[in-house]
Amino acid sequence: MPKVQVIDNKGNKVSEIELSDAIFGIEPNVPVMHAAVVNYLANQRQGTQSTLTRAEVSGGGRKPWRQKGTGRARQGSTRAPQWTHGGIALGPKPRSYRYTLNKKVKRLAMKSAFSSKVLSSDLIVLDSFGLSEIKTKEAAGILKAIGAEKKPLIVLDSVDQTVIKSVRNIPGVKTAQVGTLNVYDIVNAGKLVLLKDAVTGIEEVYA
């Protein structure tokens, strides 16, 4: 079982916690994590891009010249794709890029992401943020003290508006709850900051 130090908001060691082997101690499966990241990014796409076909471009109702006898190639409309200002032949149209991954693959990807953060020593377990009011400067000081200044992902056990509003204006900082975590945010984070209570929640969800 991997052991991680639990620190306070000043960066001092408070205690030690044993993490679940099944979640934080597996061999990370890189292809599965990659599949989960690609799936997440695909599902974020709006799919609203659209081009006009020759039927949708205004104009071009008249045949530009007669069919035969001019020596030029026959043309039916000045809005055909080969004409300047013509329609697009095979351009994109609005569509959904959404697709789903197998549930077992999702779970393995999450466990691999957690384990990769442990292996790279980018996992921080925080006893408590200790913010009594919404203070961005104080929150930034805490992140500096615990060594999580660069792109941290702060995982809370429940919605804590004091923490969320304190860090939302700090560049690169993201917050999430146990139930809203995804592989992309974990992998993309410079440091994964778990509140002590959130560790228990993660182990209950992914055990």
PDB file of all heavy atoms in Angstrom, residues 94-109:
ATOM      1  N   PRO A  94     -23.092  20.477 -39.059  1.00  0.00           N
ATOM      2  CA  PRO A  94     -23.262  20.217 -37.624  1.00  0.00           C
ATOM      3  C   PRO A  94     -23.497  18.746 -37.331  1.00  0.00           C
ATOM      4  O   PRO A  94     -24.291  18.082 -37.998  1.00  0.00           O
ATOM      5  CB  PRO A  94     -24.507  21.045 -37.271  1.00  0.00           C
ATOM      6  CG  PRO A  94     -24.505  22.151 -38.255  1.00  0.00           C
ATOM      7  CD  PRO A  94     -23.977  21.553 -39.525  1.00  0.00           C
ATOM      8  N   ARG A  95     -22.741  18.242 -36.360  1.00  0.00           N
ATOM      9  CA  ARG A  95     -22.905  16.840 -35.944  1.00  0.00           C
ATOM     10  C   ARG A  95     -22.365  16.664 -34.539  1.00  0.00           C
ATOM     11  O   ARG A  95     -21.602  17.505 -34.041  1.00  0.00           O
ATOM     12  CB  ARG A  95     -22.182  15.888 -36.896  1.00  0.00           C
ATOM     13  CG  ARG A  95     -20.657  15.887 -36.811  1.00  0.00           C
ATOM     14  CD  ARG A  95     -20.085  14.919 -37.827  1.00  0.00           C
ATOM     15  NE  ARG A  95     -18.629  14.809 -37.783  1.00  0.00           N
ATOM     16  CZ  ARG A  95     -17.974  13.908 -37.052  1.00  0.00           C
ATOM     17  NH1 ARG A  95     -18.630  13.082 -36.247  1.00  0.00           N
ATOM     18  NH2 ARG A  95     -16.661  13.837 -37.098  1.00  0.00           N
ATOM     19  N   SER A  96     -22.727  15.590 -33.921  1.00  0.00           N
ATOM     20  CA  SER A  96     -22.255  15.295 -32.577  1.00  0.00           C
ATOM     21  C   SER A  96     -21.023  14.395 -32.650  1.00  0.00           C
ATOM     22  O   SER A  96     -21.005  13.409 -33.382  1.00  0.00           O
ATOM     23  CB  SER A  96     -23.353  14.585 -31.770  1.00  0.00           C
ATOM     24  OG  SER A  96     -22.826  14.150 -30.525  1.00  0.00           O
ATOM     25  N   TYR A  97     -20.005  14.747 -31.891  1.00  0.00           N
ATOM     26  CA  TYR A  97     -18.781  13.939 -31.813  1.00  0.00           C
ATOM     27  C   TYR A  97     -18.812  13.000 -30.608  1.00  0.00           C
ATOM     28  O   TYR A  97     -17.845  12.303 -30.340  1.00  0.00           O
ATOM     29  CB  TYR A  97     -17.555  14.856 -31.713  1.00  0.00           C
ATOM     30  CG  TYR A  97     -17.262  15.606 -32.989  1.00  0.00           C
ATOM     31  CD1 TYR A  97     -17.835  16.855 -33.239  1.00  0.00           C
ATOM     32  CD2 TYR A  97     -16.408  15.080 -33.950  1.00  0.00           C
ATOM     33  CE1 TYR A  97     -17.573  17.555 -34.407  1.00  0.00           C
ATOM     34  CE2 TYR A  97     -16.137  15.772 -35.124  1.00  0.00           C
ATOM     35  CZ  TYR A  97     -16.718  17.003 -35.346  1.00  0.00           C
ATOM     36  OH  TYR A  97     -16.452  17.684 -36.517  1.00  0.00           O
ATOM     37  N   ARG A  98     -19.896  13.023 -29.882  1.00  0.00           N
ATOM     38  CA  ARG A  98     -19.986  12.277 -28.622  1.00  0.00           C
ATOM     39  C   ARG A  98     -19.992  10.768 -28.842  1.00  0.00           C
ATOM     40  O   ARG A  98     -20.638  10.262 -29.752  1.00  0.00           O
ATOM     41  CB  ARG A  98     -21.258  12.694 -27.880  1.00  0.00           C
ATOM     42  CG  ARG A  98     -21.462  12.018 -26.525  1.00  0.00           C
ATOM     43  CD  ARG A  98     -22.565  12.701 -25.750  1.00  0.00           C
ATOM     44  NE  ARG A  98     -22.152  14.032 -25.325  1.00  0.00           N
ATOM     45  CZ  ARG A  98     -21.451  14.271 -24.233  1.00  0.00           C
ATOM     46  NH1 ARG A  98     -21.081  13.270 -23.444  1.00  0.00           N
ATOM     47  NH2 ARG A  98     -21.119  15.499 -23.910  1.00  0.00           N
ATOM     48  N   TYR A  99     -19.234  10.065 -28.002  1.00  0.00           N
ATOM     49  CA  TYR A  99     -19.295   8.603 -27.963  1.00  0.00           C
ATOM     50  C   TYR A  99     -18.963   8.157 -26.540  1.00  0.00           C
ATOM     51  O   TYR A  99     -18.432   8.937 -25.758  1.00  0.00           O
ATOM     52  CB  TYR A  99     -18.350   7.956 -28.990  1.00  0.00           C
ATOM     53  CG  TYR A  99     -16.871   8.138 -28.715  1.00  0.00           C
ATOM     54  CD1 TYR A  99     -16.132   7.156 -28.064  1.00  0.00           C
ATOM     55  CD2 TYR A  99     -16.203   9.291 -29.117  1.00  0.00           C
ATOM     56  CE1 TYR A  99     -14.777   7.311 -27.823  1.00  0.00           C
ATOM     57  CE2 TYR A  99     -14.858   9.465 -28.878  1.00  0.00           C
ATOM     58  CZ  TYR A  99     -14.134   8.465 -28.233  1.00  0.00           C
ATOM     59  OH  TYR A  99     -12.791   8.632 -27.984  1.00  0.00           O
ATOM     60  N   THR A 100     -19.318   6.942 -26.209  1.00  0.00           N
ATOM     61  CA  THR A 100     -19.126   6.466 -24.835  1.00  0.00           C
ATOM     62  C   THR A 100     -18.053   5.384 -24.785  1.00  0.00           C
ATOM     63  O   THR A 100     -17.871   4.633 -25.739  1.00  0.00           O
ATOM     64  CB  THR A 100     -20.435   5.893 -24.249  1.00  0.00           C
ATOM     65  OG1 THR A 100     -20.926   4.871 -25.114  1.00  0.00           O
ATOM     66  CG2 THR A 100     -21.489   6.981 -24.113  1.00  0.00           C
ATOM     67  N   LEU A 101     -17.375   5.348 -23.653  1.00  0.00           N
ATOM     68  CA  LEU A 101     -16.382   4.307 -23.405  1.00  0.00           C
ATOM     69  C   LEU A 101     -17.000   3.228 -22.522  1.00  0.00           C
ATOM     70  O   LEU A 101     -17.924   3.494 -21.752  1.00  0.00           O
ATOM     71  CB  LEU A 101     -15.165   4.878 -22.685  1.00  0.00           C
ATOM     72  CG  LEU A 101     -14.105   5.628 -23.499  1.00  0.00           C
ATOM     73  CD1 LEU A 101     -12.999   6.087 -22.561  1.00  0.00           C
ATOM     74  CD2 LEU A 101     -13.524   4.774 -24.599  1.00  0.00           C
ATOM     75  N   ASN A 102     -16.468   2.046 -22.620  1.00  0.00           N
ATOM     76  CA  ASN A 102     -16.866   0.950 -21.752  1.00  0.00           C
ATOM     77  C   ASN A 102     -16.631   1.345 -20.284  1.00  0.00           C
ATOM     78  O   ASN A 102     -15.639   1.987 -19.955  1.00  0.00           O
ATOM     79  CB  ASN A 102     -16.014  -0.278 -22.112  1.00  0.00           C
ATOM     80  CG  ASN A 102     -16.403  -1.505 -21.337  1.00  0.00           C
ATOM     81  OD1 ASN A 102     -16.257  -1.538 -20.126  1.00  0.00           O
ATOM     82  ND2 ASN A 102     -16.879  -2.504 -22.022  1.00  0.00           N
ATOM     83  N   LYS A 103     -17.565   0.980 -19.416  1.00  0.00           N
ATOM     84  CA  LYS A 103     -17.490   1.371 -18.005  1.00  0.00           C
ATOM     85  C   LYS A 103     -16.203   0.867 -17.329  1.00  0.00           C
ATOM     86  O   LYS A 103     -15.573   1.570 -16.541  1.00  0.00           O
ATOM     87  CB  LYS A 103     -18.715   0.830 -17.261  1.00  0.00           C
ATOM     88  CG  LYS A 103     -19.003   1.555 -15.955  1.00  0.00           C
ATOM     89  CD  LYS A 103     -20.260   1.027 -15.288  1.00  0.00           C
ATOM     90  CE  LYS A 103     -21.510   1.508 -15.995  1.00  0.00           C
ATOM     91  NZ  LYS A 103     -22.745   1.082 -15.268  1.00  0.00           N
ATOM     92  N   LYS A 104     -15.795  -0.350 -17.672  1.00  0.00           N
ATOM     93  CA  LYS A 104     -14.573  -0.921 -17.084  1.00  0.00           C
ATOM     94  C   LYS A 104     -13.331  -0.153 -17.549  1.00  0.00           C
ATOM     95  O   LYS A 104     -12.378   0.032 -16.792  1.00  0.00           O
ATOM     96  CB  LYS A 104     -14.447  -2.398 -17.454  1.00  0.00           C
ATOM     97  CG  LYS A 104     -15.428  -3.301 -16.719  1.00  0.00           C
ATOM     98  CD  LYS A 104     -15.212  -4.758 -17.087  1.00  0.00           C
ATOM     99  CE  LYS A 104     -16.189  -5.665 -16.329  1.00  0.00           C
ATOM    100  NZ  LYS A 104     -16.023  -7.084 -16.704  1.00  0.00           N
ATOM    101  N   VAL A 105     -13.368   0.286 -18.796  1.00  0.00           N
ATOM    102  CA  VAL A 105     -12.248   1.067 -19.344  1.00  0.00           C
ATOM    103  C   VAL A 105     -12.147   2.408 -18.610  1.00  0.00           C
ATOM    104  O   VAL A 105     -11.057   2.860 -18.250  1.00  0.00           O
ATOM    105  CB  VAL A 105     -12.429   1.293 -20.864  1.00  0.00           C
ATOM    106  CG1 VAL A 105     -11.395   2.269 -21.403  1.00  0.00           C
ATOM    107  CG2 VAL A 105     -12.354  -0.031 -21.607  1.00  0.00           C
ATOM    108  N   LYS A 106     -13.293   3.043 -18.365  1.00  0.00           N
ATOM    109  CA  LYS A 106     -13.315   4.323 -17.640  1.00  0.00           C
ATOM    110  C   LYS A 106     -12.707   4.178 -16.241  1.00  0.00           C
ATOM    111  O   LYS A 106     -11.897   4.997 -15.810  1.00  0.00           O
ATOM    112  CB  LYS A 106     -14.752   4.823 -17.495  1.00  0.00           C
ATOM    113  CG  LYS A 106     -15.343   5.451 -18.739  1.00  0.00           C
ATOM    114  CD  LYS A 106     -16.731   5.976 -18.386  1.00  0.00           C
ATOM    115  CE  LYS A 106     -17.475   6.459 -19.606  1.00  0.00           C
ATOM    116  NZ  LYS A 106     -18.852   6.874 -19.256  1.00  0.00           N
ATOM    117  N   ARG A 107     -13.118   3.122 -15.547  1.00  0.00           N
ATOM    118  CA  ARG A 107     -12.634   2.902 -14.181  1.00  0.00           C
ATOM    119  C   ARG A 107     -11.128   2.642 -14.171  1.00  0.00           C
ATOM    120  O   ARG A 107     -10.397   3.172 -13.330  1.00  0.00           O
ATOM    121  CB  ARG A 107     -13.381   1.739 -13.529  1.00  0.00           C
ATOM    122  CG  ARG A 107     -14.841   2.046 -13.218  1.00  0.00           C
ATOM    123  CD  ARG A 107     -15.540   0.833 -12.631  1.00  0.00           C
ATOM    124  NE  ARG A 107     -15.103   0.581 -11.271  1.00  0.00           N
ATOM    125  CZ  ARG A 107     -15.610   1.179 -10.192  1.00  0.00           C
ATOM    126  NH1 ARG A 107     -16.568   2.093 -10.327  1.00  0.00           N
ATOM    127  NH2 ARG A 107     -15.169   0.894  -8.991  1.00  0.00           N
ATOM    128  N   LEU A 108     -10.669   1.817 -15.124  1.00  0.00           N
ATOM    129  CA  LEU A 108      -9.236   1.517 -15.209  1.00  0.00           C
ATOM    130  C   LEU A 108      -8.441   2.780 -15.528  1.00  0.00           C
ATOM    131  O   LEU A 108      -7.348   2.996 -14.986  1.00  0.00           O
ATOM    132  CB  LEU A 108      -8.989   0.440 -16.273  1.00  0.00           C
ATOM    133  CG  LEU A 108      -7.525   0.047 -16.510  1.00  0.00           C
ATOM    134  CD1 LEU A 108      -6.878  -0.449 -15.222  1.00  0.00           C
ATOM    135  CD2 LEU A 108      -7.426  -1.026 -17.595  1.00  0.00           C
ATOM    136  N   ALA A 109      -8.994   3.627 -16.395  1.00  0.00           N
ATOM    137  CA  ALA A 109      -8.322   4.879 -16.757  1.00  0.00           C
ATOM    138  C   ALA A 109      -8.191   5.792 -15.546  1.00  0.00           C
ATOM    139  O   ALA A 109      -7.138   6.422 -15.334  1.00  0.00           O
ATOM    140  CB  ALA A 109      -9.089   5.574 -17.878  1.00  0.00           C
TER     141      ALA A 109
END
